[in-house]
Structure formats: structure tokens, C-alpha cells
Amino acid sequence: MKISRLEFAAVLLAAVCVAFSAGWFLRGNAAAQPVRVESERTLVQSTPQLLPAPTATPQPQSKEEALESGEKVDLNTAGREELMTLPGIGEKRADAILAYRQANGPFRTPEELTEVDGIGEGILEGLIDYVTTGEDTR
């Protein structure tokens, strides 16, 4: 049995459509989009607990003495006066750091300070060598 030109063209056109469709669907499966995973460590406290009373530690007399001592200020345990020994941190910024820590939990990295109101990249650069979170390896 012989097929006409019209039938041959219809079969050829159908084969091209099937091949195009198969390629279209296979391309979509082979080039899957990357998956973005975001994680956040959240501290949950089931019952409120009272913190132990802070122990009295000798505070340096000036910012210069604090910076020369070589000890880093732990952002997660420092009080207002200790935070104020850092360069670029006065009363308002120290209060903002304490408020951020109270609202969001402990700092994970010193770079997280940029999320505190009033602290940008410039201030962070000036005090990054003088702070720690107790978890970082600096």
C-alpha cells in the first residue's frame, strides 16, 4: 500500500510535533531549579527562668584602657556599661544592642550587629576585632 504526499506530510508533521513535545518535557525534568534552604536557629524557653544576679567585674576606666586590654566583649553577656567601652557605642547604641538581644535571643555572629538600629557596616568594622559571641572562632 502506498501513501500519498498529503498523508506523508501529515505523518511527518505529527512526528515533528511529538519529538518537539518530548524534548520540551524532558528539558524541564533534566534542568531542575536549585532549591534554596534557609534555616534559623530559634531558642524556645518553655517556662520563664530568672537569670542569676550578675557578678561584679572590674570595668576599665576608659575606652582606651578597654581596647588595650586585648579582651573581647561578649555581645551575649555584656551589660550596658561594658558595651559602652566599645568604639562607636554610646548609651543609645548599647541600649539598642540590649533591646535586640532581648527581642531576638543571643547573637550568633558579630556581623549580626548590623541588624541593630544605629549600627551599620562602618561601625561594625571599627569594633569587629573587640567583640565575640562566645560561639564564633575569632
Side-chain angles (χ1 to χ4, degrees), residues 70-81:
E71 292 184 22
K72 292 186 175 188
V73 174
D74 189 339
L75 295 172
N76 294 323
T77 60
R80 183 177 190 231
E81 289 76 24

Side-chain angles (χ1 to χ4, degrees), residues 94-115:
D95 291 339
I97 291 170
L98 294 174
Y100 179 88
R101 190 171 70 194
Q102 180 71 25
N104 300 297
F107 289 91
R108 292 181 295 273
T109 64
E111 289 80 10
E112 194 176 338
L113 273 174
T114 58
E115 296 177 20

Side-chain angles (χ1 to χ4, degrees), residues 17-69:
C17 287
V18 168
F20 177 78
S21 297
W24 182 267
F25 288 114
L26 290 176
R27 177 199 59 89
N29 291 338
Q33 296 295 321
V35 176
R36 181 177 177 185
V37 177
E38 293 185 19
S39 64
E40 180 177 325
R41 187 174 67 178
T42 305
L43 300 176
V44 178
Q45 185 173 345
S46 59
T47 58
Q49 298 177 357
L50 297 176
L51 296 175
T55 58
T57 56
Q59 297 295 323
Q61 296 297 323
S62 67
K63 289 186 179 189
E64 291 77 21
E65 290 177 12
L67 299 178
E68 290 175 2
S69 69

